Amino acid sequence: MNRNQKIGIGCGAVGCLGLILIVVIGLALYLGGYMKNLAGTNRNRNYNVNINANSSPNSNTNANDAADSSSSTLPDDDKHKLFQAAGITKDSDLILRVMSKIGFESGTGDAYQQFVKEHFEWAMRNMDFMKTIDTPEKGRAYVESHIND
């Protein structure tokens, strides 16, 4: 083994130990709660979202879209809340119940695609609500208490 090979092995070992040390320190900080607090130290945040949705009054819908959009009398805000709460649970049966309740039993069609697009925009405007159902358990509790409204 020549001198250059020894230097290469030494540098590689030091670099490896350095990476391991960084990972251990990062893990200790994360588990100690320090890194969580760095991102969330300022709880007073303002979210300004401007949305300009242009839509044409001339639209074509098929029979599935018409059936889906007319089968629910819930206000749009309540539909989005149920949809989000069910989604956070990842429970397919509960999601299907909510989809049926909000009028999208098939989960297909232009009306459903438009709802999903609007849901993203709704979610950006309703971060406070999103924080109240941030676990599957909270999402399930919300759906169970509001699905029959």
Side-chain angles (χ1 to χ4, degrees):
M1 183 178 300
N2 66 29
R3 184 171 185 252
N4 288 339
Q5 289 174 327
K6 288 179 184 178
I7 291 172
I9 290 172
C11 288
V14 170
C16 239
L17 288 175
L19 282 174
I20 291 170
L21 183 63
I22 289 172
V23 168
V24 168
I25 290 172
L27 185 60
L29 288 174
Y30 180 76
L31 292 176
Y34 296 107
M35 291 182 80
K36 292 177 191 170
N37 290 337
L38 288 176
T41 54
N42 184 0
R43 298 284 182 199
N44 298 323
R45 294 184 182 179
N46 293 322
Y47 294 98
N48 293 322
V49 178
N50 296 320
I51 298 170
N52 183 10
N54 294 324
S55 62
S56 171
N58 298 327
S59 63
N60 296 325
T61 59
N62 62 29
N64 287 339
D65 290 343
D68 282 349
S69 64
S70 65
S71 63
S72 178
T73 59
L74 284 175
D76 284 344
D77 192 53
D78 291 342
K79 289 180 184 180
H80 287 289
K81 287 179 178 180
L82 280 172
F83 186 74
Q84 182 65 35
I88 197 79
T89 67
K90 295 184 174 85
D91 178 345
S92 58
D93 292 333
L94 187 62
I95 293 170
L96 289 174
R97 276 181 56 206
V98 167
M99 294 289 286
S100 177
K101 175 69 177 179
I102 65 175
F104 299 111
E105 288 135 6
S106 65
T108 60
D110 292 337
Y112 176 70
Q113 293 302 320
Q114 182 64 30
F115 176 79
V116 171
K117 179 181 174 185
E118 291 169 358
H119 182 73
F120 177 75
E121 296 166 356
W122 175 91
M124 297 304 292
R125 291 189 312 267
N126 291 280
M127 294 303 286
D128 290 337
F129 174 77
M130 304 285 276
K131 291 176 188 174
T132 66
I133 57 160
D134 57 354
T135 65
E137 295 79 18
K138 290 178 184 177
R140 181 177 305 283
Y142 181 86
V143 170
E144 294 299 336
S145 65
H146 291 88
I147 197 161
N148 294 321
D149 290 351

